[in-house]
Structures are given as structure tokens and as C-alpha cells.
Amino acid sequence: MIINCERLWKMIQQLGEIGRTEQGGLTRLAFSKEEQEAKQLLRTYLEAAHLTVYEDAMGNFFGRYPAEAAEAETLLIGSHIDTVFNGGKFDGAAGVLIGIEVLRTLAEQNVTLPFHVEVVAFTDEEGARFSSGMLGSQAFIGQLTQTDLEKYSDQAGIPLVDAMINQGYQPIQLAKAKRDPEKLKGYLEVHIEQGKVLEEANAPVGLVTGIVGLRWLKINLKGEAGHAGTTPMHLRKDPLACAAELITFIEALIKRENQAVATVGQLSVKPGGINVIPAEVEFTVDLRDLSDQKLDRLVTEIEKKAERIAEKRGIATELNVIEISKAVHTTTTVTELMETVMNEQQLPCIKLPSGAGHDAMILAQVTPIGMIFVRTKEGISHHPAEFATADDLAIAAQVLYDTIIKMACY
Ligand SMILES: [Zn+2]
């Protein structure tokens, strides 16, 4: 292995000290002094390897390993360094530091590439402070306007634009953060899995097939309230019993579908008395899969079944799709290279979708993308106990490094 496992682990530990909370986690929010301090640390790593460092108008941070030809395309590798409140030290940070380790290794090996390689730390991926999310990468592809920026303020009432100005950025220059997609070769992101698939498969890393699409449903069922003691069972129109039947159907339906997931996370019962047959029930369904076609089919099946069960029980039903997010696929040419690298390194090549959103899904709109997941202990994330081993992170870095070398040959 060419990657310096020890050096990478040391960087993980050092960055993991910035934004420490009393609860043992990390709070490193967008446009905070902690995020600024983190960027300073990244700067020292890159400058030690004599690499150029710069930031764009949005506060996205870059380090550059240049190609011989100045007009060459740029391959981006990275992730984010902002965290959620009391989060862990691997989410985002692992991808950025692996990017830096890869750049340092390229420099040490004196590799000549036909494209520039830039490590990027996108700002405000988590959106924890401003209830936003992926603002840095959206600015980078030119999808974010100043009017958008003005919509956000944090819990203390500080507008996002003021927070940016306080950290030395100029929101008025936002448009300059947009990169010409013609000059991009692609975007490769390493991220912790934040799930248990790789751990269960005993695989250090996994190949991400895409970022799942999402449908949020709200289902409302109206029946007839009644006395729990005096209403015989056959005379009831109980919307909660109807919901129970429907939720059991949804669980069975989704279990038959490979990799799709469904969750009922909210359920309200009215009037909510211990001795009252409910009059109205409302619940949500969160549906995710890598195929938008499949998601739309599942929504239709749930809708049909809801009508049938409700009719049988004398219940009025209403189903609304309240949120749609389309699935994003990683680029086949990139994932094929990654798969070849993993085979050459005799690593198991587990292919899995990402159930969470990442900057890569924004970048996918303008350039080819590839993602590698790193095994995450017990799938725990957004929590101080979040953990990935030094060895697994180094393996991911080596896969990324070898993928870049392969990209140069094709
Ligand atoms: Zn993340």
C-alpha cells in the first residue's frame, strides 16, 4: 500500500479535536469559527506538501495537485467538514482527509497526470445550522442564488449572509463560486456508509451505485368516533385498525422489493382517548429506492390497497405525495474503474445504494461521479460514537488513489 495509513489516521484525530463538545462529539457548523479553524488545519497539511490552497466565494475549500498543462480538466475529490450538532469525526471529514492524503501521496510519488486533481471541502453540507443542506456544492454548480442565501438564518436569528460576511466571505460574489462544468473531469467522494451493510458483509469498503430517490406520503383515514364500551365490534368504523392493516401491508410489500425501504415515522390519532374509538388517523410513509420507476409503482400499489381496505371498513381515505426527490446514479465508467481496482486489490466488491444525500448528488448534475463507502461501526452516525478503523480508511484511500491512476490511462 502506498497510502500512509498512520499519517491519515493522525489527520483524522487532529481534525476530530476541532469543535469538541462536552458530550464527547463534534459541533462544527457552517460559517463558524470552528469550521474556519478546521480549514486552517487542512491548509497546513496541503502547504506542507507544497500544494496550492484556495477558497471560493462561498467558502468551499480547495487544494490542488496540478497537471502539466494548465488548461487540463480538473478531477475533484472530497466531501465536507461541517458536522451536525454533537456529531462524529468521520462523517464528511474522512472523505476530505482521504482526499488530502491522496494528494500528498501523488506529490510524494511525483506522479504526472493529464488532469489536475483538487481536493474539496464543501461548506454547509449538513445544513445543521441554517436548516439548509448542500449549499456549498449547490453554489459550486451555480444552482444557488443570492435570493436563496437570504432565506436562511440560524436559531440565534443570525442571517446566513451575515454569518458569511463575519467569516470574511462576500455573498455578493456568490456567482463566482460557480465552476465551468466543461473544465471538470468528475467528482469522486469517499464517505462513511452510515449503515450496517458493509459490516455485515465483512467488507472494508463498498461501491456506491447511486443515491436513492425518495417519496413522502401522507395518508389520512377518517372513520367514526364511538364509545369503547358500548360500540359492538361489527358496528365500528375504526381508522386506526384500518391504518394498522395498511401499515402491515406496506411492510410486506416493501420486503419483497430488493433494497427498497419504507418507514412509518409519524402517526397521529384523534381524539386520542383511551376509551374512545378514534375518529381520524393520519400517518406518513417514507419510501426510498434507487429506481424512480419502482417508487412510483409502489406509491400506486399503496394507494390502491388503501382504497380497498378503507372501502371494506367504511373509512374515508386520502393519500398525498408531499415530497419527491429523484434518485441519482453514479457514473458507470467511473464505478467500473473502481470495481477493477477493488478486484485487483482482492477486496470484496459490495455494491450498495446510499440511503442518505451527499454532495455527489448535486455534482452529478454537471459531471461524472463515483462514490466509495467505508465500513462504519454498527452503522452509527451523526453521533459521538461514530467510528471507522484506520485500516478501512486507508484501504478506501488506496482505492481512490488507484482509481485516479487508472483514470489517467483511459
Ligand atoms: Zn456527510
Side-chain angles (χ1 to χ4, degrees), residues 90-101:
F90 297 88
D91 179 352
V96 173
L97 294 173
I98 283 173
I100 289 178
E101 177 54 35

Side-chain angles (χ1 to χ4, degrees), residues 68-221:
E68 272 182 345
E71 71 282 3
E73 291 176 320
T74 298
L75 175 70
L76 281 169
I77 57 175
S79 192
H80 61 96
I81 49 163
D82 67 317
T83 69
V84 295
F85 289 97
N86 201 34
K89 55 183 163 189
F90 297 88
D91 179 352
V96 173
L97 294 173
I98 283 173
I100 289 178
E101 177 54 35
V102 165
L103 248 59
R104 291 173 97 170
T105 309
L106 286 169
E108 278 167 2
Q109 300 291 319
N110 215 358
V111 177
T112 308
L113 293 170
F115 45 80
H116 310 291
V117 184
E118 288 190 16
V119 63
V120 55
F122 285 116
T123 191
D124 201 28
E125 191 273 347
E126 298 286 5
R129 178 173 177 188
F130 297 100
S131 301
S132 46
M134 298 183 214
L135 292 190
S137 46
Q138 286 183 59
F140 183 82
I141 70 159
Q143 207 183 52
L144 194 71
T145 63
Q146 275 197 60
T147 321
D148 293 331
L149 284 185
E150 282 157 16
K151 284 192 303 206
Y152 299 106
S153 44
D154 68 10
Q155 284 167 8
I158 301 170
L160 170 62
V161 285
D162 289 2
M164 286 178 72
I165 292 165
N166 287 343
Q167 294 302 329
Y169 304 107
Q170 293 174 293
I172 201 161
Q173 304 283 354
L174 175 69
K176 286 190 180 160
K178 186 191 172 190
R179 189 77 69 98
D180 178 3
E182 294 289 310
K183 292 186 176 149
L184 290 178
K185 183 164 181 66
Y187 174 66
L188 310 181
E189 181 166 357
V190 175
H191 202 281
I192 55 165
E193 183 203 342
Q194 306 176 288
K196 299 176 181 175
V197 174
L198 295 176
E199 195 172 58
E200 200 181 89
N202 207 14
V205 293
L207 191 54
V208 180
T209 47
I211 293 143
V212 296
L214 168 147
R215 303 291 182 275
W216 277 353
L217 316 181
K218 189 167 256 181
I219 300 176
N220 182 284
L221 302 169

